[in-house]
Amino acid sequence: MPIPENARGYEGFGGTVGRTAAASTPSWPAVATAPAGAPNIVVVLIDDMGFSDIGPFGSEIPTPNLDRIADSGVRLTNYHTTPLCSPSRAALLTGLNPHRAGYGFVANADPGYPGLRLELADDVLTLPEILRDGGYATYAVGKWHLVRDANLGPGRSRDSWPTQRGFDRYYGSLEGLNSFFHPNQLVSDNSAVDTDEYPEGYYLTDDLTDKAVSYIKDLRAHDADKPFFLYFAHVAMHGPLQAKESDIARHRGKYAAGWDEVRESRFARQLAAGLFPAGTEDARNVLGGFDVPAWDSLTADQQDRFARYQEVYAAMVDSVDQSVGRILDTLDELGEADNTIIVFTTDNGGTAEGGPEGTRSYLAEFARVDDPAWVGDVPHDPALIGSARLGVHYPRGWAQASNTPFRFYKGQSYAGGVRVPFLLSWPAGLSTAEGDNGIRDQFAYVTDLAPTLLDLAGVARPSARHGLVAKGFDGVSAAGFLRDRSAVTAHNEQYTEMTGNRGYYRDGWKLLALNPTLLDPAASLDEPRWQLFNVLQDPTELRDLAAEHPELVAELAQAWDEAAWANTVFPLLGNRVGQRRRPDEQRLARPVRILAGSPVLERYRSSRLIAYRDWDAAVELTGFERGDEGVLLAHGDPQGGYLLFVESGRLWLGYNAFGDYTELDCGPLAVGARLVELSAAVAPHVRWDLDVFVDGEPTGGALRVPQLVGMAPWTGISVGVDARGPVSCDLRARRGVFRYTGGLRAVTYTPGPEGVAALVIAETERAAEAWAD
């Protein structure tokens, strides 16, 4: 019998329905199935690693596992990305130019324009969404940084979180950087991991690798056939540079010869390997304002300290290679290595964020407060460089070595910022012909990766997402020249723009301009001083041909302008891009009462309670009793923070000014005390005056301290414990996380008005966001 018209719930059913099962035919919806023999896909993305930092691209750092990938696959020597992290990640995962994807800058501020919304829009498809619809299991591990920091806390939008964007599982850090020994916050799937302390011997790269391997093993224990996509976005090599002592020990003493010798030897290996044509010149120190001194001009103490920074960096590269090895070994154990596409690349070039001298107080370098007496590189024992006690970054001389043979750094459109290593291996599907050395010099861009992988896997891209017409790819498949080194690239033109730095590539010509206001603060942002390079003949961009080809300069400048309009680049904000926030973020600075036992308050929410303002933190006790002790309140970690604690009956205020730790003895805490208050008042030169009160009475001590600004404090607020990274390393060593043993009800934060000049706030925040990406 036919289904009656008034029946409901049968729409779209493919079988037949009668009154009984005997008169009915069942039907089931189709299950997404990958094409027969579809390969697994593993994309390993590194943060802030330059062109020459791995063995296949000239490095002296042993990378045997990356060598395995290069030996069985191809090396792209002309692969480009964007100059900063979030834009590169958005372009990689969507195949869209970064501004079209909404990421013209880092995923922090939101100045209110379409190309800078810094969240994925509803009509933007991602590679994992496409692959999952195509029958793949999808996993993400590591750094995400496609979520505005205002949306990291509970109750905020999760529309741009990994599991809402096509990944079945996710584990890692949603922000732009993290501590490798004491991460401020990790996320598993859709929730922050609620932990107060990490186990002995913890190291973030190992933790992420453990999770990646477990995802693969878990899938194969349940399904022997389903292909998977693993996106492993390492937090390394982003600062703070920290490594396990066992890894550092293997590189101890290897950089005493300095960055000049390292760059020269790397370039020689690159030329010998055929990565560049004969006649290519090294672009060392062709920079203008970012020059690096000759190693031999440094003092012995400088050489010793600077070499230690690079030892740590090398140890981190070593650790990443070990991680890759564990993934490869797992694939070997499963018998799936040959039918797995492995991609290894990085999000931008090496970074100059450590400045000319490097830093042992990482977040202070971000703050960039215009004050000669501001906290800079806080002196520490050089033996601690790379350890959990410090946040360090190398001086930019090592960034120049990292970007060999190019010039400039992360954040800029010159090759040092955007031309990065790229390896791809697929033994079962991309075997190189006899005589093919695996080197490819065709132009490719980060937007090409998604369409290339889909092409190789045989998975079609849908035309819609959630009922909306999906934005089409800007990238193109590079499968043709991956298979045949004589094939030409289909990607012949590409614009770039980042904080007013801009460029345009067409058929071997590259037009470039730095933000004009970097060279002259009075200059117009929209009057670029163009330079022109023939990068086929001059890959290191040394010979400016603009004066010889004015017609071509005008032609490419017009092409840049048209591409900018076509990709929602305008309006240009230059260095002001990070200075504006959504008005609704002001609610994050409202007073809050945090009950004892609450999970650690998220970093950005915590920072809004104290940033650039007067504030008060009131600790409610049920009545102090003799013998009660422990941490009452803690906010921060070794990179900067403060805490109140009771030990042996005395109340203490500890303040960590970006690595410079001070303690104030506030005296004995009276039996029966119920209220302990920490009061901060804005003082001149971006400082606070701190006072401590007990039951409304001053304890008689006070501190004037540098304010914690920019990205500090990195770890959020915890009540009754110094959770995760320790504000005081000595206290942690002595007492652990030091949970309070008495009765503690809550801590109430009452933010006051901002007391720092708006211009100072804007510039400090902008600098912090740009370098912290």
Side-chain angles (χ1 to χ4, degrees):
M1 61 171 285
I3 298 175
E5 292 184 0
N6 66 328
R8 296 191 293 182
Y10 300 102
E11 299 84 355
F13 179 63
T16 59
V17 176
R19 296 183 67 86
T20 66
S24 305
T25 304
S27 177
W28 293 270
V31 177
T33 304
N40 303 316
I41 300 172
V42 177
V43 173
V44 180
L45 181 67
I46 308 302
D47 202 344
D48 290 359
M49 175 183 280
F51 186 86
S52 73
D53 281 334
I54 60 175
F57 284 81
S59 181
E60 73 292 338
I61 303 170
T63 53
N65 296 296
L66 294 175
D67 295 346
R68 288 168 60 188
I69 297 174
D71 291 344
S72 63
V74 295
R75 285 177 281 178
L76 273 59
T77 64
N78 200 9
Y79 172 81
H80 294 69
T81 183
T82 85
L84 285 179
C85 153
S86 298
S88 294
R89 289 157 202 270
L92 185 154
L93 288 170
T94 67
L96 303 182
N97 285 325
H99 295 83
R100 278 190 76 221
Y103 290 85
F105 191 57
V106 302
N108 293 83
D110 179 1
Y113 299 102
L116 294 161
R117 68 191 307 272
L118 307 174
E119 296 273 335
L120 292 167
D122 290 339
D123 62 351
V124 173
L125 272 167
T126 65
L127 179 60
E129 288 173 326
I130 299 167
L131 288 171
R132 186 163 67 183
D133 286 349
Y136 274 69
T138 57
Y139 304 110
V141 170
K143 172 177 169 176
W144 183 243
H145 211 194
L146 295 175
V147 181
R148 292 188 301 110
D149 47 19
N151 282 345
L152 295 180
R156 303 291 291 184
S157 169
R158 280 168 162 68
D159 289 350
S160 282
W161 284 39
T163 53
Q164 274 68 264
R165 286 294 170 166
F167 287 107
D168 299 329
R169 300 293 309 276
Y170 169 71
Y171 180 78
S173 174
L174 294 177
E175 296 211 73
L177 62 108
N178 226 317
S179 166
F180 288 85
F181 293 106
H182 303 289
N184 72 331
Q185 179 171 282
L186 294 176
V187 168
S188 180
D189 299 330
N190 241 10
S191 301
V193 177
D194 186 8
T195 184
D196 287 339
E197 57 183 320
Y198 295 97
E200 186 74 22
Y202 179 90
Y203 188 68
L204 179 58
T205 300
D206 293 342
D207 185 16
L208 297 176
T209 308
D210 289 345
K211 188 64 69 171
V213 169
S214 74
Y215 284 157
I216 297 171
K217 290 181 175 179
D218 185 44
L219 174 66
R220 282 295 168 260
H222 291 83
D223 192 320
D225 303 313
K226 193 179 187 76
F228 64 83
F229 169 46
L230 171 64
Y231 172 61
F232 195 154
H234 279 269
V235 176
M237 303 295 296
H238 203 294
L241 303 183
Q242 296 174 320
K244 294 181 292 185
E245 181 56 39
S246 58
D247 288 336
I248 297 173
R250 282 194 294 276
H251 303 274
R252 191 70 75 195
K254 293 185 178 180
Y255 291 96
W259 48 56
D260 293 322
E261 191 280 332
V262 167
R263 181 159 175 135
E264 289 169 8
S265 61
R266 288 186 181 187
F267 187 40
R269 283 189 288 270
Q270 291 170 342
L271 291 175
L275 301 187
F276 296 102
T280 300
E281 299 177 52
D282 185 4
R284 186 195 187 281
N285 259 3
V286 184
L287 294 164
F290 294 91
D291 290 354
V292 170
W295 184 261
D296 290 345
S297 71
L298 303 175
T299 67
D301 286 344
Q302 286 177 313
Q303 290 180 346
D304 176 70
R305 178 160 62 90
F306 293 178
R308 287 177 181 269
Y309 289 121
Q310 184 64 8
E311 292 167 1
V312 176
Y313 187 86
M316 292 175 70
V317 174
D318 184 343
S319 176
V320 165
D321 187 74
Q322 295 172 46
S323 169
V324 171
R326 290 183 58 196
I327 301 297
L328 296 178
D329 290 347
T330 302
L331 294 170
D332 284 339
E333 185 70 22
L334 293 170
E336 300 184 38
D338 283 351
N339 198 31
T340 299
I341 298 172
I342 303 279
V343 172
F344 180 94
T345 189
T346 180
D347 63 351
N348 47 248
T351 175
E353 67 196 50
E357 294 280 325
T359 180
R360 287 163 286 188
S361 45
Y362 188 60
L363 298 183
E365 185 69 20
F366 286 161
R368 305 292 172 98
V369 174
D370 186 15
D371 176 6
W374 180 253
V375 180
D377 177 30
V378 177
H380 288 282
D381 183 349
L384 295 176
I385 289 173
S387 72
R389 295 179 69 98
L390 301 186
V392 308
H393 214 294
Y394 59 35
R396 63 178 177 239
W398 292 118
Q400 272 214 19
S402 175
N403 294 334
T404 304
F406 306 122
R407 59 175 171 144
F408 284 111
Y409 312 95
K410 165 186 175 179
Q412 295 152 340
S413 303
Y414 288 76
V418 299
R419 196 161 170 176
V420 296
F422 186 101
L423 303 173
L424 188 147
S425 171
W426 181 21
L430 281 178
S431 57
T432 54
E434 185 176 351
D436 185 345
N437 63 4
I439 294 175
R440 302 290 186 267
D441 60 7
Q442 293 89 336
F443 179 87
Y445 191 61
V446 62
T447 54
D448 298 338
L449 185 56
T452 299
L453 293 174
L454 293 174
D455 187 358
L456 295 176
V459 176
R461 177 187 176 278
S463 59
R465 181 182 187 274
H466 294 183
L468 300 174
V469 176
K471 286 185 170 72
F473 283 149
D474 293 308
V476 295
S477 175
F481 69 76
L482 293 177
R483 291 192 168 101
D484 179 2
R485 69 173 178 172
S486 66
V488 298
T489 179
H491 201 142
N492 298 310
E493 298 191 48
Q494 182 61 48
Y495 86 94
T496 186
E497 189 280 333
M498 189 66 56
T499 62
N501 300 313
R502 63 197 88 181
Y504 198 83
Y505 172 87
R506 177 188 284 172
D507 293 330
W509 290 94
K510 189 174 178 183
L511 192 70
L512 288 171
L514 291 174
N515 179 338
T517 65
L518 295 177
L519 307 172
D520 177 5
S524 168
L525 177 62
D526 203 21
E527 294 181 0
R529 304 175 187 181
W530 292 113
Q531 293 182 298
L532 179 69
F533 303 94
N534 182 332
V535 292
L536 296 181
Q537 300 173 3
D538 176 24
T540 53
E541 302 164 358
L542 285 173
R543 293 180 290 278
D544 178 12
L545 303 177
E548 299 175 32
H549 301 280
E551 302 87 355
L552 184 55
V553 170
E555 179 184 333
L556 295 180
Q558 179 62 30
W560 183 91
D561 201 69
E562 292 171 0
W565 282 115
N567 287 281
T568 58
V569 172
F570 293 116
L572 297 175
L573 299 182
N575 288 335
R576 297 191 298 118
V577 64
Q579 295 180 5
R580 299 190 65 176
R581 291 273 183 169
R582 292 192 182 192
D584 74 347
E585 289 189 25
Q586 295 177 12
R587 64 197 295 264
L588 299 178
R590 294 175 183 171
V592 59
R593 185 168 181 262
I594 309 169
L595 296 178
S598 296
V600 178
L601 201 66
E602 183 273 320
R603 175 198 64 85
Y604 186 66
R605 165 65 161 140
S606 297
S607 72
R608 294 309 89 190
L609 299 172
I610 68 169
Y612 308 103
R613 64 178 79 245
D614 298 345
W615 53 274
D616 182 85
V619 183
E620 304 171 34
L621 306 177
T622 58
F624 177 73
E625 297 182 8
R626 200 177 309 280
D628 292 347
E629 62 177 359
V631 172
L632 304 176
L633 164 69
H635 184 187
D637 49 43
Q639 315 306 320
Y642 56 91
L643 80 167
L644 287 170
F645 65 97
V646 181
E647 188 174 28
S648 301
R650 303 186 74 85
L651 177 65
W652 295 85
L653 166 64
Y655 195 84
N656 188 328
F658 301 99
D660 185 7
Y661 183 74
T662 303
E663 278 186 353
L664 176 66
D665 184 350
C666 300
L669 189 59
V671 172
R674 292 183 172 274
L675 187 66
V676 177
E677 294 176 89
L678 174 59
S679 176
V682 172
H685 306 298
V686 198
R687 283 160 171 78
W688 281 315
D689 287 328
L690 299 181
D691 291 279
V692 179
F693 300 83
V694 175
D695 289 333
E697 296 297 323
T699 59
L703 289 177
R704 174 161 288 188
V705 296
Q707 290 186 32
L708 298 168
V709 295
M711 304 301 288
W714 185 244
T715 300
I717 297 167
S718 53
V719 174
V721 62
D722 183 11
R724 301 175 188 170
V727 174
S728 167
C729 293
D730 290 339
L731 183 63
R732 175 65 60 88
R734 191 169 72 246
R735 305 301 298 263
V737 295
F738 205 14
R739 299 179 192 280
Y740 187 64
T741 60
L744 196 166
R745 298 180 62 195
V747 174
T748 298
Y749 271 81
T750 306
E754 289 182 345
V756 176
L759 186 62
V760 173
I761 295 175
E763 177 56 25
T764 302
E765 291 294 296
R766 184 208 63 77
E769 287 160 3
W771 286 116
D773 183 41

